Amino acid sequence: MEKTEKLSLRECVFGNKHFYRHVLAVVLPIIVQNTLTNIVSLLDNVMVGQVGTLPMSGVAIVGQLIFVYNLAIWGSTSGAGLFGAQYFGSGDMEGVRHTFRFKLLVAAVITAGGILLFSLAGKNLISAYIAADTAPADAAATLGYAWQYLCIMLVGLVPFALTQCYAGTLRESGQTVLPMKASIIAMVVNFVFNALLIFGLFGFPCMGVAGAAVATVLSRFVELAIVAMGAHSSVERYPFFAGVYENMHIPAALAKNILLRSTPLLLNELMWGMGQAILLQCYSVRGIQVVAALNICNTISQIFNEVFLSLGNATAIVVGQELGANHLTGARRTAWRMLSLSVMSCVVMGLLLSLCAPLIPQIYNTEESIRLLSTELIRAVALCMPLFGFANCAYFTMRSGGKTFITFLFDSCFTCGVTVPVAYVLAHYTAMPIVLIFLVANGLDLIKCVIGFILLKKGIWVRNIVK
C-alpha cells in the first residue's frame, strides 16, 4: 500500500500542463455534451412557452418528477461506476464488464418501478404542485397539459436508462467522445422535431405539449442507438464491451460489494431528488407564476452550472482511476486541484450568469412580472455558484473512494434535514419575498462546504476498493 505524503499548498491549488491536459480531455466532451443538452432544453422550454404560461408550467412540473427518476438511475448505476473506474485504472476489463451488467439489471428494476408509479399516481403528484388559490380553470388546464406530457414521456424512460448504462461505463474508462457525439445528434433530432410537432410546420400535426414529448422520446431512442452501436463497433477501443452479453454473470462477492456501495448512493439521489421536488412545492405555494419563473431560472442556470457539474463527474473519473492504480498521493493531489479548479470556474461562470440574467428571460412568451422574477432568481443562483461548485466537487471526491454512506449524509440528508425545513417554514409561515427565501435556502450550502473541507482534509476517502 502506497503511503500518502503531505502536499504543499501550491501542489494542491495549481496543476501542471499534464494535469490540465488530462482533465481537459476527460471533462471537455462532458461539458460540451451537457451544455448542448441544456441549450436544447432551453429551446424546448422557449418553444413550449410560446404556447402559453400554463403549458410551460405543466411541463415544468413533469420535468421535476421525471428528474427524480433520472436521479434514481444515476444513483443506482454510479455505485457500480465507482468500481468500473477503479477496475479500468487497474487494467481489469472483466471487472468493468461485471459492473456494466450490474447497471443493466438495476436500471431495469428502477425503470419498471418508475413507470408503474407514474402511471398510477401521476395525476396526484402533479396536483401537489398546483397552488390551492389557482383559478379552477387554470388548475385544470395545467393538470391536463402535464398529464398529457407525462404519459408520452414514460415511453422514453427505457432508452434513457440503457443510454446511461453505456455512457457511464464509457466515461469511467475516459472515453467521453462517443457519448458526446450521440448526445449532439440526439439534440439536433430533438430540436428539429420539437419545431415540427409543437407548431405543426411543413405539414406535420400541430401537437403542442404532446409534440414536445414525442420529440424528446424520439431523440432518446436515437441517442441509445448511436451509443450502443458505437460501443460494440470497436473491440480495440472499447475492450470491456467485448462479450459483455455472452452471459449476465456477476460474481456474488462483487454484487454484494456494489450493493453495499450503491444503496447509499441510490437513497442519496432519490432523497435529494425528492428534496428538490419538495422545495419546488414549497415555493409553489406562492403561486403558479413562481413555478413558471423557477422553470425559467432552472433551465437557464443549468447551462452555466454544467461546468462545475461536469468537473464533478471528471473528479470521480480521474481520482477513481488514481485510486484504482494505487496512486494514493496522486489521488489526493488531483482531488485538491480539481476542487480549486471547480471553485475558480464557478466564480467566472457566476459572473457571466449574473450578466445574462436580465437578457435571457426576455425570449420567453410570458408576463413581464414572471420575467422580472426569474431574473432575480437567476442572480441568486449566480451568487451561490461557488458554494455549489465546492460542495459538488467534495461530494464526488469522497464518492470516488467508496465513502458512499458519508456522501449520503453530506448530500441528501443535508437537503432533507436542513434546506427543506428552512424553505418550508419561510415559505409557509413568513411574509419573506420568494427571492430571499430562495437565496437563503441555496446559501445554506456554505455549511456543506465547511463540512466537505474537513472531510477532504482528513483523507478518509483515500482508498483502493478493488485491490
Side-chain angles (χ1 to χ4, degrees):
M1 176 69 71
E2 177 187 295
K3 294 183 179 180
T4 59
E5 303 169 6
K6 189 174 181 180
L7 304 175
S8 69
L9 180 62
R10 186 182 181 283
E11 286 180 309
C12 291
V13 176
F14 301 108
N16 52 30
K17 290 182 180 179
H18 173 73
F19 166 77
Y20 289 114
R21 212 167 18 237
H22 179 48
V23 171
L24 193 63
V26 173
V27 79
L28 188 57
I30 299 175
I31 291 176
V32 171
Q33 176 186 350
N34 293 342
T35 300
L36 289 176
T37 298
N38 285 303
I39 290 174
V40 172
S41 178
L42 170 62
L43 295 174
D44 287 357
N45 236 262
V46 172
M47 290 180 186
V48 173
Q50 300 303 310
V51 183
T53 299
L54 297 181
M56 183 172 67
S57 298
V59 169
I61 291 170
V62 173
Q64 185 64 61
L65 296 175
I66 295 243
F67 181 59
V68 177
Y69 161 79
N70 293 346
L71 289 173
I73 291 294
W74 293 329
S76 63
T77 58
S78 59
L82 300 178
F83 290 83
Q86 292 204 17
Y87 273 131
F88 185 83
S90 65
D92 185 350
M93 297 302 109
E94 186 62 24
V96 179
R97 292 186 195 99
H98 291 322
T99 62
F100 176 74
R101 292 170 185 145
F102 183 92
K103 291 177 186 178
L104 290 176
L105 293 175
V106 74
V109 172
I110 290 174
T111 300
I115 292 173
L116 182 64
L117 173 64
F118 288 136
S119 299
L120 297 177
K123 287 188 176 180
N124 291 331
L125 293 171
I126 293 166
S127 298
Y129 289 87
I130 302 175
D133 60 352
T134 304
D138 289 348
T142 303
L143 177 60
Y145 288 125
W147 179 245
Q148 182 185 30
Y149 186 77
L150 176 61
C151 289
I152 299 171
M153 288 293 290
L154 291 181
V155 179
L157 299 190
V158 173
F160 173 83
L162 292 173
T163 299
Q164 297 312 305
C165 294
Y166 273 101
T169 300
L170 288 165
R171 291 190 186 111
E172 289 147 21
S173 68
Q175 299 286 350
T176 56
V177 175
L178 176 58
M180 179 189 71
K181 290 179 178 178
S183 184
I184 290 172
I185 295 172
M187 286 183 288
V188 172
V189 171
N190 189 14
F191 175 70
V192 170
F193 280 92
N194 260 328
L196 295 175
L197 297 176
I198 292 175
F199 305 114
L201 302 179
F202 304 108
F204 282 82
C206 182
M207 300 174 66
V209 166
V214 170
T216 300
V217 171
L218 178 61
S219 70
R220 287 186 173 175
F221 277 103
V222 170
E223 185 176 14
L224 171 61
I226 295 170
V227 170
M229 288 190 295
H232 293 285
S233 65
S234 175
V235 175
E236 293 77 18
R237 181 174 294 180
Y238 315 118
F240 37 85
F241 283 124
V244 72
Y245 288 115
E246 289 180 359
N247 60 71
M248 292 301 290
H249 171 69
I250 305 169
L254 175 61
K256 179 181 178 182
N257 209 356
I258 294 176
L259 279 172
L260 288 174
R261 307 286 181 185
S262 296
T263 301
L265 287 176
L266 174 58
L267 291 175
N268 177 69
E269 298 295 343
L270 281 174
M271 285 181 60
W272 187 85
M274 287 188 290
Q276 296 304 307
I278 295 170
L279 281 173
L280 178 59
Q281 198 279 328
C282 291
Y283 302 140
S284 70
V285 301
R286 297 299 182 95
I288 199 72
Q289 293 80 9
V290 173
V291 175
L294 280 168
N295 178 48
I296 296 173
C297 169
N298 292 336
T299 304
I300 295 171
S301 300
Q302 195 68 18
I303 296 174
F304 290 82
N305 288 345
E306 276 310 328
V307 173
F308 79 77
L309 291 173
S310 299
L311 282 170
N313 282 301
T315 299
I317 294 168
V318 297
V319 175
Q321 290 178 357
E322 292 268 22
L323 292 173
N326 220 39
H327 300 157
L328 305 187
T329 299
R332 289 173 64 96
R333 182 187 300 113
T334 298
W336 285 109
R337 287 173 176 175
M338 292 298 294
L339 189 66
S340 61
L341 180 60
S342 181
V343 172
M344 288 186 288
S345 68
C346 282
V347 172
V348 175
M349 298 307 293
L351 289 172
L352 291 175
L353 178 58
S354 183
L355 292 174
C356 294
L359 304 176
I360 302 180
Q362 298 303 317
I363 64 179
Y364 282 83
N365 180 28
T366 189
E367 293 87 351
E368 184 62 24
S369 59
I370 293 177
R371 293 195 191 102
L372 293 174
L373 178 57
S374 63
T375 297
E376 294 179 8
L377 293 170
I378 292 168
R379 283 176 173 155
V381 171
L383 184 63
C384 295
M385 194 175 288
L387 301 180
F388 301 157
F390 190 104
N392 183 69
C393 195
Y395 167 83
F396 277 102
T397 299
M398 290 184 285
R399 204 178 79 171
S400 68
K403 290 296 183 179
T404 54
F405 182 70
I406 291 177
T407 56
F408 167 67
L409 298 175
F410 176 77
D411 196 28
S412 63
C413 288
F414 183 89
T415 298
C416 294
V418 179
T419 308
V420 168
V422 170
Y424 182 88
V425 170
L426 294 179
H428 286 80
Y429 300 110
T430 74
M432 186 181 292
I434 187 64
V435 176
L436 188 54
I437 295 174
F438 184 73
L439 179 61
V440 170
N442 283 284
L444 291 171
D445 269 28
L446 177 61
I447 301 173
K448 286 179 66 175
C449 291
V450 174
I451 297 171
F453 178 81
I454 294 171
L455 292 174
L456 289 185
K457 198 169 185 303
K458 284 182 176 294
I460 58 174
W461 53 274
V462 185
R463 300 173 63 207
N464 181 332
I465 60 175
V466 299
K467 186 176 179 181

